[in-house]
Every structure is written in structure tokens, then in C-alpha cells.
Amino acid sequence: MSDDGEKTELAAFQAALAAEHAAVYGYGVVGGRVDDRRRSEAKAAYDAHRARRDALAREVQDLGGRPVAASAAYALPFAVHDPADAVRLAARLEQRVAGVYADLVRSTTGARRTSAAGALREAAVRAVAWSGRSVAFPGLAERAGEGTGTGTDTGTGTDTGTGTDTGTGTGAAGAAPSGSAATAR
């Protein structure tokens, strides 16, 4: 792989890692507000995102990078007051993570691409479970209407690309780091 290809791959892994950091944070909020019948679903998603986050950190290190750190806190895309808001946030988190994994699939080959495709599929399935709606091409539908960029704007944490945010903050999976200014797009 060329140096540019390796840099692109590393940047995509860093964006996915940032998205997973934000998803883990977001599911902490979801778990605190979701009703009892969906709490185990939220816990399972939280655990899945933690496992993906840890695997991505190892991949970044294997690629010679320093894993992006989680922010201390994230600004949510909307206020979460009740179980319905928590469910909506969970769906948004999964849709955004799916978008980041779609970028990772495009940036990788071989076993890394297979793993990224599996993560995309898992996020898409959880998004359907939370929202009750599916899309034809998970991870790509989230990009509809966005400008072109070299990275990913996935809604929380780290803004690594350009385009149109669909109302979830700036950065990687549904929330912006606490104290950061949301970028108007």
C-alpha cells in the first residue's frame, strides 16, 4: 500500500475510533434514560461499542498511529429527557457509526475491510432495532446530501472531514466534545 493509502487508512481508523468513543459516551446517556424493557438492549450495544473501540485502538497502534483519545464529555445532538429521546439518540448513534464504518470499508482491504464491513452491518442492524426503519445502503444513506471530503463528519467528537451535518453536532457519532462550538454547515 502506498504512503497515501496508509495515511488514508489510518485516518479512517482514527475516525472510527473517535466515533466509537462518542458512541460509548452516548450509550451511557441512553442507558440512563431508556425504559426498563430496552435497558438490556442498550447495555448490549454499549458493550459492543466498547469492544469495537478497544479493537480499533489496537488497529491504530498496529498501523503506527497514536489512538485518538476520548473527550471528557460530548454535547448531545438534542436533549434527552425521556425514554423516547433515549431511543432516538441510540438510533442516531448507530446511524452515524454506520457512516464511519462505510468510510472505513472504502479505505481498507482484506481482513481489515471484512472487519469494517462486519462493524457496519452490526451498527445498521442496531439502527433498525432502535429506529424501526431501514435504509437500502446503511452507512451511505447517512452521507446523502453531504459534500465531498477527505474524512468523516459523523456527528460527535472529532471533525475529520467536510460536508453537511445532519443535525447531530460536529465530529464522530452524534455529539460534539463538551465546550466545543458546533460548526454551521
Side-chain angles (χ1 to χ4, degrees):
M1 184 177 287
S2 71
D3 284 344
D4 287 341
E6 289 174 4
K7 288 178 186 176
T8 299
E9 185 177 35
L10 179 58
F13 272 103
Q14 291 281 33
L17 177 56
E20 290 293 5
H21 284 313
V24 167
Y25 179 89
Y27 269 103
V29 175
V30 169
R33 295 282 189 212
V34 77
D35 61 25
D36 289 340
R37 74 182 167 84
R38 299 208 69 184
R39 194 168 318 276
S40 64
E41 189 177 352
K43 173 74 167 94
Y46 174 81
D47 290 343
H49 286 291
R50 285 181 52 212
R52 287 280 180 195
R53 177 202 61 196
D54 296 346
L56 287 165
R58 287 188 297 274
E59 284 290 340
V60 167
Q61 289 174 327
D62 289 349
L63 289 168
R66 182 173 172 214
V68 63
S71 295
Y74 294 85
L76 300 174
F78 49 84
V80 180
H81 298 289
D82 57 32
D85 291 339
V87 167
R88 205 166 45 114
L89 177 60
R92 180 80 56 92
L93 292 169
E94 296 299 347
Q95 291 160 354
R96 291 311 195 138
V97 168
V100 174
Y101 280 114
D103 291 342
L104 188 58
V105 167
R106 283 190 295 272
S107 300
T108 56
T109 60
R112 287 183 174 141
R113 178 175 279 177
T114 301
S115 178
L120 167 58
R121 181 185 61 248
E122 290 170 13
V125 168
R126 283 190 300 265
V128 169
W130 287 111
S131 70
R133 298 183 319 258
S134 65
V135 295
F137 298 103
L140 300 180
E142 292 77 12
R143 299 286 185 246
E146 292 187 8
T148 58
T150 57
T152 318
D153 181 3
T154 54
T156 62
T158 311
D159 186 3
T160 59
T162 62
T164 302
D165 187 5
T166 58
T168 59
T170 58
S178 180
S180 70
T183 307
R185 300 186 193 207

